[in-house]
Amino acid sequence: MRRYKGIIFDLDGTLLDTIEDLTDSVNEVMESLGYPPHSPEDYKRKVGNGFRKLVERSLPEEVRDEKTVDSAVAAFADVYNRRYMDKTVPYEGILELLAKLCEKGIAVGVNSNKRSDYTSALIQKFFAHIPFVDVYGEREGIPKKPDPAGALELLKLMGLSKDEVLYIGDSDTDMLTGKNAGLDTVGVSWGFRGREELEAYGGTYVVDRPDEILGLLERSEQ
């Protein structure tokens, strides 16, 4: 097994449980427009490709024209700006995991499809003490995951080779991003999608608890 010296993390569904705030925000918009709301479990299938896709997937199919989507996305941005820190929390064991990674000298970064300002604000609130090499959200001119552009930027900042870095996330998008970047991937089953999807999309490893990631690192050192 390889020795891993760096980790690139997804954010939503991997480090932070954001689904309740996303659910409340999109449902407020749907109800204001006279469309039916969805459950948190429904939204776990809709997230992962940025805010616009989330809102588009939440609208009834017959009203997904560009004008309606534009209007709903603008309304969502206003609502989410009020709600995005109401119920969001780190998953159990994540703070401990990040602290131990820092102790081990493992380089860490974040690569998310969430809008960059929200990504940075959430990292600052929950993980300000963690020395991430950088934190990337959705950025103009940079394609969203599963394009590997953001992951490859982080890899360069870490100064590590592809076989020294793990890509960790909770969805098909993350497994594809890591694969497209040429990195080994870790799928986390505690997030929005679950083990079956992660295995189907070729996760190198699939774990059920954050401390299992430390186990992977320890075995790679042997």
Side-chain angles (χ1 to χ4, degrees):
M1 188 177 289
R2 306 168 179 181
R3 175 178 171 84
Y4 298 113
K5 300 177 181 178
I7 295 177
I8 299 172
F9 287 99
D10 170 50
L11 185 63
D12 293 46
T14 302
L15 296 177
L16 293 177
D17 185 356
T18 58
I19 201 66
E20 292 293 337
D21 286 334
L22 288 166
T23 295
D24 292 346
S25 299
V26 183
N27 279 346
E28 182 174 327
V29 174
M30 293 300 108
E31 290 169 351
S32 73
L33 297 174
Y35 303 130
H38 306 280
S39 71
E41 289 303 312
D42 290 334
Y43 283 116
K44 286 180 180 181
R45 305 299 309 175
K46 299 177 188 299
V47 299
N49 301 103
F51 284 167
R52 186 176 183 84
K53 276 294 182 185
L54 168 61
V55 172
E56 180 182 326
R57 291 165 178 164
S58 303
L59 289 164
E61 289 188 21
E62 64 272 17
V63 296
R64 293 179 185 174
D65 58 277
E66 186 171 358
K67 183 178 179 180
T68 301
V69 174
D70 284 347
S71 177
V73 169
F76 169 78
D78 288 339
V79 174
Y80 192 60
N81 193 53
R82 289 189 280 105
R83 287 184 173 270
Y84 77 105
M85 289 189 182
D86 286 355
K87 300 176 182 176
T88 290
V89 292
Y91 285 101
E92 184 177 355
I94 288 297
L95 290 171
E96 294 82 357
L97 169 65
L98 292 172
K100 289 179 180 177
L101 293 175
C102 292
E103 289 175 10
K104 285 178 164 288
I106 302 295
V108 290
V110 172
N111 186 37
S112 175
N113 275 345
K114 196 181 202 74
R115 214 173 75 184
S116 186
D117 52 345
Y118 293 121
T119 299
S120 297
L122 287 166
I123 291 292
Q124 183 62 32
K125 176 175 181 178
F126 294 107
F127 309 119
H129 59 296
I130 302 299
F132 292 105
V133 296
D134 214 331
V135 173
Y136 292 154
E138 182 181 1
R139 295 171 292 156
E140 187 175 349
I142 304 296
K144 293 191 289 291
K145 300 183 297 182
D147 189 282
L152 292 173
E153 284 186 32
L154 288 167
L155 183 71
K156 186 175 181 179
L157 288 175
M158 289 176 178
L160 298 173
S161 62
K162 291 183 178 182
D163 62 357
E164 293 176 315
V165 176
L166 286 171
Y167 196 96
I168 299 183
D170 71 305
S171 71
D172 57 340
T173 298
D174 295 308
M175 299 304 96
L176 292 172
T177 302
K179 181 178 180 180
N180 291 341
L183 307 177
D184 283 351
T185 55
V186 180
V188 301
S189 68
W190 59 77
F192 296 164
R193 299 295 175 78
R195 176 176 284 271
E196 184 176 349
E197 177 172 303
L198 299 167
E199 291 176 342
Y201 279 84
T204 311
Y205 316 100
V206 179
V207 299
D208 300 314
R209 304 185 316 276
D211 61 2
E212 292 182 63
I213 294 168
L214 293 171
L216 290 176
L217 296 177
E218 289 167 359
R219 290 196 295 277
S220 78
E221 295 170 357
Q222 297 173 359

